[in-house]
Amino acid sequence: MLSSDINRYISLRRTLGYKLVRAERHLLAFARFAAERDESHIRTGTVLAWLPTAAKSPNAMAHRLTALIVFARFMQAEDPRHEIPPADIKRTTNRPVPYIYTADEITRLLDAAGNLRHQRPNPLRRKLYVMLFGLIASTGLRISEALALRLDDILHDGVLHIRETKFRKSRLVPMHATVMEALQRYLEARRQHAGESDWLFPSVEHRQLYPTTVNYTFRCILRRAGIAPERSQQPRIHDLRHTFATRVLEQCGAARGEVARHFVALSTYLGHVSIHNTYWYLQATPEMMTDIAAAAETLVGENAA
């Protein structure tokens, strides 16, 4: 059945650096659906029947369809009896528009974090969340990257070692001197409460913080700070990363070559595997989009030549 082919496919792609956690889950779910129909090959009709049962939103359907299309291409190269579903099936996506925080809103957010309710089991709570969200806002780290930091990932001269995140890529992230100073103050407070844990942001049990706990706390902080209460979709932690990228691009010069170099440097700093992934951050600054995208592509083309 398809499940053994999926395991082989996932193992092969992981050797190339892909994580494919969600893709593996989606593909195995489809394999179970196909097995119930006694099918050992990918059929477009089966895909059409499975998608509405597997996901309700257009975004979720698009993610599952994308995983299936790539897998189907892989399988058809070995066996032409596999069908490749057309890419336009339920393909509409509604990627959330990023919320760009103002400098005042970030200040209010960190102030609210510093005034969280005191919890006896977690005396480090206030300082931890101020440092966590401040670090993301000032470096553009992904929340998963920040939560995965350990003490030995803080290198000399104010540099963070981000280990094997998306596509198992590692990178070095320099910090501003003011961020490093704040981090040193946090580490001094942390030494009194974190026990033997080597996580930079430990949980009450001195383990890695759960993302669900962090997201819940962030929503509490947003309410306390009074940030965008009128929005149906509340700002996210990930929007701090969007804000960082947008502010960096806004500060680059107007000359085309200068803009392109800033853009390519930002793409590397953020850990994007392709410069095309960085284009998304330009949505918040549409007046810069055309020039920066064109200039960056030109520069990348010149460097590749």
Side-chain angles (χ1 to χ4, degrees):
M1 289 296 183
L2 287 170
S3 58
S4 60
D5 292 318
I6 290 168
N7 291 332
R8 178 169 57 88
Y9 162 78
I10 292 294
S11 296
L12 175 62
R13 292 200 66 194
R14 281 177 176 163
T15 63
L16 301 175
Y18 296 91
K19 291 189 175 181
L20 301 178
V21 176
R22 285 195 303 178
E24 180 181 29
R25 186 168 65 247
H26 299 334
L27 291 175
L28 289 174
F30 174 75
R32 290 191 293 271
F33 185 84
E36 292 173 359
R37 296 182 165 213
D38 294 324
E39 294 179 0
S40 58
H41 292 81
I42 300 169
R43 303 289 183 221
T44 297
T46 304
V47 173
L48 283 169
W50 173 72
L51 280 174
T53 67
K56 295 181 179 180
S57 72
N59 278 351
M61 286 188 184
H63 285 307
R64 286 158 176 75
L65 177 60
T66 298
L68 269 171
I69 289 173
V70 178
F71 174 58
R73 288 171 181 160
F74 172 84
M75 292 303 298
Q76 194 185 66
E78 299 180 351
D79 186 342
R81 288 178 293 176
H82 291 282
E83 299 175 2
I84 301 176
D88 58 353
I89 299 176
K90 302 291 185 181
R91 193 65 175 179
T92 303
T93 60
N94 296 305
R95 191 173 184 179
V97 176
Y99 182 85
I100 305 303
Y101 296 92
T102 65
D104 175 68
E105 286 176 330
I106 291 178
T107 298
R108 284 158 46 198
L109 190 151
L110 297 183
D111 285 345
N115 287 289
L116 283 168
R117 182 168 57 86
H118 180 74
Q119 292 180 339
R120 183 172 297 178
N122 188 9
L124 193 62
R125 187 181 188 223
R126 294 174 177 174
K127 291 182 173 63
L128 184 151
Y129 282 109
V130 170
M131 190 66 239
L132 174 61
F133 298 137
L135 184 65
I136 294 173
S138 60
T139 61
L141 292 182
R142 302 176 177 95
I143 179 61
S144 58
E145 293 171 343
L147 296 183
L149 286 170
R150 296 177 182 268
L151 294 179
D152 58 3
D153 291 326
I154 305 172
L155 308 181
H156 298 294
D157 301 323
V159 174
L160 292 176
H161 184 196
I162 309 302
R163 300 176 186 271
E164 296 189 358
T165 56
K166 272 195 171 183
F167 305 105
R168 299 188 182 179
K169 290 170 65 69
S170 297
R171 70 186 191 280
L172 299 177
V173 173
M175 293 179 288
H176 191 274
T178 57
V179 180
M180 192 60 195
E181 291 172 6
L183 183 58
Q184 290 298 335
R185 291 194 297 271
Y186 166 73
L187 289 173
E188 291 175 7
R190 182 193 172 286
R191 291 188 190 100
Q192 304 175 29
H193 306 292
E196 299 298 321
S197 173
D198 65 342
W199 297 105
L200 179 58
F201 299 110
S203 68
V204 176
E205 298 83 10
H206 305 315
R207 301 172 183 170
Q208 185 178 16
L209 271 176
Y210 289 108
T212 52
T213 302
V214 177
N215 282 316
Y216 171 78
T217 304
F218 186 76
R219 291 194 295 272
C220 294
I221 290 171
L222 279 180
R223 288 195 298 270
R224 287 171 175 263
I227 296 175
E230 73 289 348
R231 293 190 87 211
S232 58
Q233 182 174 353
Q234 292 296 291
R236 306 162 300 159
I237 298 173
H238 196 68
D239 290 325
L240 292 171
R241 178 173 162 89
H242 283 284
T243 300
F244 171 83
T246 300
R247 299 306 180 213
V248 168
L249 292 174
E250 287 177 342
Q251 294 175 27
C252 67
R256 176 161 295 226
E258 186 177 348
V259 168
R261 285 176 173 80
H262 274 79
F263 196 81
V264 173
L266 175 64
S267 184
T268 303
Y269 187 90
L270 292 174
H272 287 159
V273 71
S274 168
I275 196 171
H276 294 284
N277 297 325
T278 318
Y279 288 168
W280 172 245
Y281 295 99
L282 294 177
Q283 177 168 331
T285 53
E287 66 279 2
M288 302 170 64
M289 186 180 300
T290 302
D291 280 348
I292 292 180
E297 285 188 345
T298 298
L299 181 65
V300 171
E302 290 174 353
N303 290 342

